[in-house]
Amino acid sequence: QVQLVESGGGLVQAAGSLRLSCAASGRTVSNYAMGWFRQAPGKGREFVAVISGSGTFLYYADSVKGRFTISRDNAKNTVYLQMNSLKPEDTAVYYCAAKSGPITRVIGAYDYWGQGTQVTVSS
């Protein structure tokens, strides 16, 4: 099994930055696609970004493209989400997820999920 633990969330002003981390344990995830998703109060969970096992392939939701950067360090079994130019609309619980094989934005394709970390952006 794979366990995922997110960290780095918090309260930040609009236009500020945060860096989220997702530490995986239980097995190496170097051959796993790793994704970030978020869920705002009263809304469904939505795709944010995904990175392939090698780090070669990246895909972002239109709402965060140009502002967020996903990356990974397979030696540390960790994936990151650098969030810049944050907006109040980015306020949500952010979840890390993992799946074997190629990248996808489809939520149901991900096998493992973290507990989430709260990101709050004030105006």
Side-chain angles (χ1 to χ4, degrees):
Q1 303 294 96
V2 176
Q3 294 80 46
L4 304 173
V5 179
E6 304 95 334
S7 62
L11 176 64
V12 65
Q13 293 180 341
S17 298
L18 282 174
R19 188 195 193 201
L20 306 183
S21 298
C22 173
S25 61
R27 65 182 298 171
T28 180
V29 293
S30 60
N31 199 39
Y32 283 57
M34 301 291 294
W36 286 98
F37 300 80
R38 66 188 183 186
Q39 187 165 17
K43 299 181 66 177
R45 193 167 299 186
E46 66 174 352
F47 168 78
V48 175
V50 64
I51 186 168
S52 64
S54 66
T56 302
F57 302 103
L58 312 169
Y59 186 73
Y60 298 92
D62 288 342
S63 59
V64 307
K65 198 171 299 180
R67 300 187 298 122
F68 291 11
T69 303
I70 189 169
S71 62
R72 67 192 299 159
D73 184 344
N74 283 337
K76 297 181 178 179
N77 225 29
T78 300
V79 64
Y80 305 95
L81 185 68
Q82 179 67 48
M83 305 185 294
N84 299 325
S85 302
L86 282 162
K87 305 174 181 179
E89 305 93 273
D90 296 317
T91 295
V93 177
Y94 282 71
Y95 296 90
C96 178
K99 66 176 292 293
S100 61
I103 64 173
T104 180
R105 62 177 293 169
V106 178
I107 295 172
Y110 288 81
D111 302 308
Y112 306 102
W113 293 83
Q115 83 290 343
T117 185
Q118 176 71 48
V119 172
T120 302
V121 184
S122 62
S123 60

